[in-house]
Amino acid sequence: MAKVSLLIHDLEAAVSPKGHGPLRGGSLGELNIHSPASVAISGDRIVAVGHPKEVMDGIPCGAEYESLDGRGKVALPGLVDCHAHPAFLGDRAGDFELRASGARYEEIHTSGGGIRSTVAATRAGTEAELTAAVEKHLGWMFSHGTTSAEAKSGYGLDLASELKSLRAIRNAGASSPVDVHPTFLGAHTVPPEFESAAEYAEFVIQEVLPEAATLARAADVFLERGSFEAPESRRYLKACRGYGLTLRIHGDQFSERGAISLAIELGACSIDHLENTSDEGARILARSDVAAVLLPACALFLDLPLPPARLLADEGAIVALATDFNPGSSFCESLPLVMNLACTRLKLSPAEALTACTANAAHVLGLNGVGRLAPGYRADVLVLDAPDWRYLAYHLGGDRFAARIKSGKLSGPRSRQT
Ligand code: NIG
Ligand code: FE
């Protein structure tokens, strides 16, 4: 075994999705549960997971390493948030209050508020202010167990502000414990200085995309009435694909308007939301290789119908879960809360929910070697202060981690041992 740098020993259990790559169908909820267990880490990689005696037998006598007492605790893979919008300034507390008195999200959007008010606040700030905001949001995510996250732009919607957002994401990622994956959401909505979606989409493709593509790994569009219809979305996504970006679509959030067929036609990596997807749409999506990213905190926050999660899972879709963290439709950075909603509202099992925000979410972000507790995987490990791994979803709210380990580095209690 490679030289061990950190040993988490005598855990109640170490729990991970089985296999490799994304899991679907009957495999979605298949876990490896080692109990009792130790986890050995060398640098930023996991080198052994198994019975404490077997793991110890693989470590040479007299070796020096940092050690963490796992008694009464459980180790799990760090969580992967594959859909999040942390690059914004200002807030939407006013919208939240309006909605509490009966206004609907789409009405606020149509009357010029909603996303457009966050665009105004984000444009008005400096790159340093936006970097600080992204850092703060990533810190919140890390405290809830997220060790890798997507970060979308999309609150700039002009050349300078989109590039400012993508640079703020890059800068914040460099100093954050969370591994950050930037997505260009140039087609989030039509900003007020443009007359039509088609005219704005053309501007984005010609003026913003060439530079944005140097800072992003993926591209995304909000395909919805009041934002972009399928023809503009197709043009934008094809242009993004031409720059080598992976494709994502916000689709079927309020209405079905061709998002699933477009995603399949273009070989998109995921379609996200799906609150208004019909059973027929769910079956078509489930048979494809386009992942279904479900965002139950957004459905809760906006009081939307729930996505057809059980049907998608049963028909064999690559199901992932994410927070959709943003100021307007899901001011929620907690994947454990999302897992709770997945179990209580979407009727996924705790095991399916775990795979959906670890191994399957890593697949959506194009990450190999992330999202499992297994030798060779990156040492992103959560130590849950509970005797049963299901507490991760079962315990609604609260600080539940004894330690968070990112790329082999421990944040939390530690002790030196030989
Ligand atoms: O995923 N639907 C579009 N975009 C975000 C909401 C953004 C906002 O309201 O600020 C979402 O829900
Ligand atoms: Fe979103």
Side-chain angles (χ1 to χ4, degrees), residues 83-85 152 185 188 220 250 272-273 295 324-326 329:
H83 183 135
H85 306 245
K152 299 180 196 284
L185 178 50
H188 197 185
D220 197 351
H250 280 71
D272 307 43
H273 276 289
L295 310 166
D324 195 18
F325 174 74
N326 75 75
S329 71

Side-chain angles (χ1 to χ4, degrees), residues 83 85 88 92 95 105 109 114-116 118 152 154-155 185 188 220-224 227 250-251 253-254 272-273 275 295 298 302 304 324-330:
H83 183 135
H85 306 245
F88 64 86
R92 302 256 283 286
D95 287 6
Y105 178 83
H109 180 78
I115 297 174
R116 289 191 193 93
T118 302
K152 299 180 196 284
Y155 292 115
L185 178 50
H188 197 185
D220 197 351
V221 57
F222 184 20
L223 199 174
E224 189 53 72
S227 287
H250 280 71
Q253 184 179 8
F254 298 98
D272 307 43
H273 276 289
E275 289 90 343
L295 310 166
C298 177
L302 296 187
L304 297 178
D324 195 18
F325 174 74
N326 75 75
S329 71
S330 183

Side-chain angles (χ1 to χ4, degrees), residues 124-191:
T126 64
E127 186 173 316
E129 287 165 341
L130 192 52
T131 300
V134 180
E135 274 170 359
K136 181 172 71 177
H137 299 151
L138 294 174
W140 294 350
M141 291 176 170
F142 188 64
S143 75
H144 288 273
T146 295
T147 48
S148 299
E150 189 208 29
K152 299 180 196 284
S153 68
Y155 292 115
L157 307 185
D158 62 26
L159 176 63
S161 309
E162 280 298 302
L163 297 181
K164 177 176 77 180
S165 301
L166 289 167
R167 282 194 302 266
I169 289 165
R170 182 192 59 195
N171 299 344
S175 62
S176 165
V178 179
D179 188 43
V180 178
H181 300 272
T183 294
F184 175 52
L185 178 50
H188 197 185
T189 199
V190 182

Side-chain angles (χ1 to χ4, degrees), residues 249-272:
I249 299 180
H250 280 71
D252 294 359
Q253 184 179 8
F254 298 98
S255 55
E256 273 191 307
R257 38 214 324 113
I260 290 176
S261 54
L262 183 63
I264 293 171
E265 171 195 325
L266 298 180
C269 164
S270 76
I271 173 157
D272 307 43

Side-chain angles (χ1 to χ4, degrees), residues 99 245 281 296 303 314 382:
R99 285 194 296 100
L245 300 177
D303 192 21
D314 291 340
L382 301 173

